[in-house]
Amino acid sequence: MKLLVYEWTSFTNFDLYLALRADKIPFCIARIPFSARKKEERDNFMEKLEELLKKDSYDAVFSINYFDCIAQVCYKQNILYISWSYDSPSLGGKIETHFYPTNRIFLFDSAELERHQKMGKQHLYHLNLAVNPERMNQLKTTPLERIKYQSDISFVGQLYTVELQQILGCLEEYSAAYLSALVDIQRRVYQVNLLSRLITKEILDFIRTPEFEEKVKEFGKELGGYQDEIHPGTLELLLLKAVTNRERILLLALLSQYYQVKLFSGDRHQVLEKVIFCGKVDYLKEMPKVFHHSKINLNITLRSIEAGIPLRCLDILGCHGFLMTNYQKDLFTELEDGKDLVVYENMEDAVEKAEFYLKNEKARKEIIKNGYKKVKDCFNYHRQLSKIWEITGLQ
């Protein structure tokens, strides 16, 4: 087996390469920068990828997340294209490419998988993400770093405040209030995506303004799509970010009324006056130290991930960290609530559980131990990649 791996700025690049080398799988890396929003760059990318495939013999092209331009080249060259998502939704771009027989698409969100399978798409599979606990636990923390990273409760991630302000700021007052109300309704509802049913073409036609239309189109292009007209699904994704924004701000603000809360992010918000802002942290060198030295690590899932286990959850557990998270259906394919991690049902429940586990160190440490072992055994790269090779017939 020999792979051509397309590289972009994915958090998982480093650990993926380590795993491939450890498993003695030959691979070459394709570093071809391009913007999905510019046709000339896409065409140039596809031309260069074809040249690489013609220069050497490969059994498959592999990428983290799905790229329709890679699918097109692989289909043309009759070579297997394997993609493994760590974003959701991940399966974007030109819809016709999703049906290519040369595709083998692995989605970490089972809800996204089910949605695409109902459309008749084949060669799609569910696969949870992976982590590298060995690498993360080799990091050493200095006394000064310990002061910076340790906390009662921490959250590492974006607030998405800019997205919310941009989308509502270019609408008329009534339309902005309408969308804001939809965001609040969705925020109170878990496990069901109401926005997918409430955002219709008729609603778009009613609220649209030229500035609003351009903002939504630009967001759609960032997702790798081509939009002469805005699509309800694109606005839905924007509003799901807005839901996440409000949920994260409200929970952090509430918890900070009672406990020490640190936010490791490039975002700030005036409401979070009692939250300690610590800035962004490097994924490879700093984030594991935050997770290891925080008594409780929060996961507040981006709402576009309907059922999947976010990478943040596995990273926390893999760092010997205590994870408290909202409910995600796929968590329970391998993990157990109250044994490997703690799931909160709503904000009030999160406050109560935070109080309990901050006061009960023994229970907290037992869950940390169990969670680490489960991730090390069930979510390591060797195990997950072996499933890919078996399904694709490359093993």
Side-chain angles (χ1 to χ4, degrees):
M1 181 200 324
K2 186 174 182 180
L3 303 175
L4 180 62
V5 180
Y6 170 62
E7 179 180 283
W8 59 285
T9 54
S10 161
F11 287 135
T12 60
N13 290 339
F14 187 77
D15 289 325
L16 172 66
Y17 300 155
L18 286 178
L20 292 174
R21 293 186 184 108
D23 289 343
K24 295 182 170 54
I25 296 174
F27 69 97
C28 294
I29 301 172
R31 296 184 176 97
I32 313 172
F34 82 105
S35 170
R37 291 178 285 178
K38 298 180 179 179
K39 184 180 184 304
E40 61 273 18
E41 290 193 24
R42 288 175 58 87
D43 292 343
N44 180 62
F45 171 87
M46 294 169 69
E47 183 179 328
K48 288 186 176 181
L49 183 60
E50 281 196 60
E51 291 174 1
L52 288 175
L53 290 174
K54 290 175 181 177
K55 282 181 181 178
D56 206 340
S57 178
Y58 298 99
D59 295 291
V61 177
F62 185 102
S63 71
I64 299 297
N65 282 358
Y66 177 84
F67 294 86
D68 65 342
C69 48
I70 298 179
Q72 290 178 68
V73 172
C74 290
Y75 179 61
K76 181 179 177 182
Q77 298 294 321
N78 195 31
I79 185 173
L80 209 59
Y81 173 39
I82 302 169
S83 67
W84 185 13
S85 74
Y86 87 153
D87 287 322
S88 182
S90 171
L91 199 49
K94 294 182 177 180
I95 294 178
E96 60 266 28
T97 68
H98 303 170
F99 294 88
Y100 288 156
T102 46
N103 291 340
R104 298 296 182 273
I105 299 168
F106 294 84
L107 302 174
F108 83 100
D109 188 337
S110 65
E112 184 181 6
L113 172 69
E114 183 179 347
R115 189 164 60 251
H116 288 293
Q117 286 180 330
K118 286 180 178 178
M119 298 171 65
K121 300 175 187 179
Q122 299 181 347
H123 307 302
L124 276 70
Y125 311 91
H126 178 244
L127 184 67
N128 290 320
L129 295 170
V131 289
N132 182 357
E134 290 78 9
R135 191 258 312 159
M136 291 189 287
N137 286 279
Q138 288 174 355
L139 296 172
K140 305 297 181 183
T141 308
T142 67
L144 280 177
E145 286 178 325
R146 186 184 292 268
I147 294 172
K148 177 182 178 181
Y149 299 131
Q150 66 185 7
S151 65
D152 288 340
I153 301 172
S154 72
F155 177 72
V156 179
Q158 299 181 62
L159 297 181
Y160 301 115
T161 303
V162 173
E163 286 85 349
L164 178 61
Q165 292 172 341
Q166 286 182 340
I167 195 67
L168 297 182
C170 59
L171 289 171
E172 295 179 0
E173 184 177 353
Y174 179 85
S175 298
Y178 181 84
L179 291 187
S180 183
L182 292 185
V183 168
D184 274 334
I185 290 169
Q186 181 64 75
R187 185 185 62 78
R188 292 177 172 86
V189 177
Y190 293 88
Q191 303 177 42
V192 178
N193 182 357
L194 296 177
L195 292 178
S196 63
R197 306 168 195 180
L198 296 173
I199 301 297
T200 63
K201 188 177 184 303
E202 290 72 25
I203 293 296
L204 283 178
D205 292 338
F206 177 71
I207 67 175
R208 76 168 71 216
T209 65
E211 187 182 357
F212 167 79
E213 192 162 357
E214 285 306 310
K215 291 285 185 186
V216 178
K217 281 183 182 179
E218 191 67 18
F219 181 72
K221 289 177 182 178
E222 290 175 4
L223 296 175
Y226 300 91
Q227 299 196 347
D228 295 326
E229 293 188 2
I230 57 177
H231 188 273
T234 308
L235 179 58
E236 175 195 331
L237 292 177
L238 269 171
L239 292 183
L240 287 171
K241 278 193 172 185
V243 173
T244 307
N245 165 265
R246 291 191 180 173
E247 189 166 17
R248 290 180 177 181
I249 288 172
L250 285 170
L251 183 54
L252 291 171
L254 182 60
L255 289 168
S256 67
Q257 299 301 310
Y258 307 98
Y259 317 110
Q260 179 201 54
V261 176
K262 288 186 177 181
L263 172 62
F264 295 85
S265 174
D267 298 339
R268 301 177 72 94
H269 198 281
Q270 64 271 19
V271 172
L272 304 178
E273 56 184 8
K274 292 189 176 182
V275 172
I276 302 169
F277 287 88
C278 300
K280 295 174 69 174
V281 286
D282 181 80
Y283 178 81
L284 292 173
K285 298 177 181 178
E286 297 177 285
M287 188 189 70
K289 298 177 182 180
V290 176
F291 293 157
H292 183 74
H293 292 289
S294 300
K295 292 179 181 178
I296 294 176
N297 293 281
L298 285 177
N299 172 62
I300 310 167
T301 304
L302 175 61
R303 282 296 192 99
S304 61
I305 304 174
E306 292 185 47
I309 307 174
L311 183 60
R312 181 191 294 106
C313 289
L314 301 180
D315 283 333
I316 290 169
L317 298 175
C319 294
H320 284 101
F322 181 93
L323 169 62
M324 187 167 76
T325 177
N326 60 280
Y327 175 88
Q328 292 290 113
K329 177 185 173 184
D330 293 347
L331 282 168
F332 306 105
T333 57
E334 303 279 3
L335 300 164
E336 294 182 48
D337 182 20
K339 180 179 179 182
D340 306 312
L341 74 166
V342 169
V343 176
Y344 64 85
E345 296 179 3
N346 50 49
M347 295 196 181
E348 293 77 13
D349 188 43
V351 172
E352 292 178 6
K353 286 178 175 173
E355 180 182 15
F356 175 83
Y357 285 104
L358 286 173
K359 289 181 178 178
N360 290 272
E361 184 178 10
K362 183 178 179 181
R364 195 173 71 244
K365 287 188 173 181
E366 183 66 21
I367 288 174
I368 290 172
K369 183 181 74 173
N370 294 336
Y372 175 78
K373 184 179 187 306
K374 187 67 68 68
V375 162
K376 187 176 179 182
D377 292 344
C378 301
F379 295 89
N380 63 76
Y381 271 91
H382 173 76
R383 183 175 188 259
Q384 301 303 75
L385 287 173
S386 292
K387 293 178 182 178
I388 291 178
W389 312 143
E390 181 179 354
I391 289 171
T392 57
L394 292 178
Q395 195 166 41

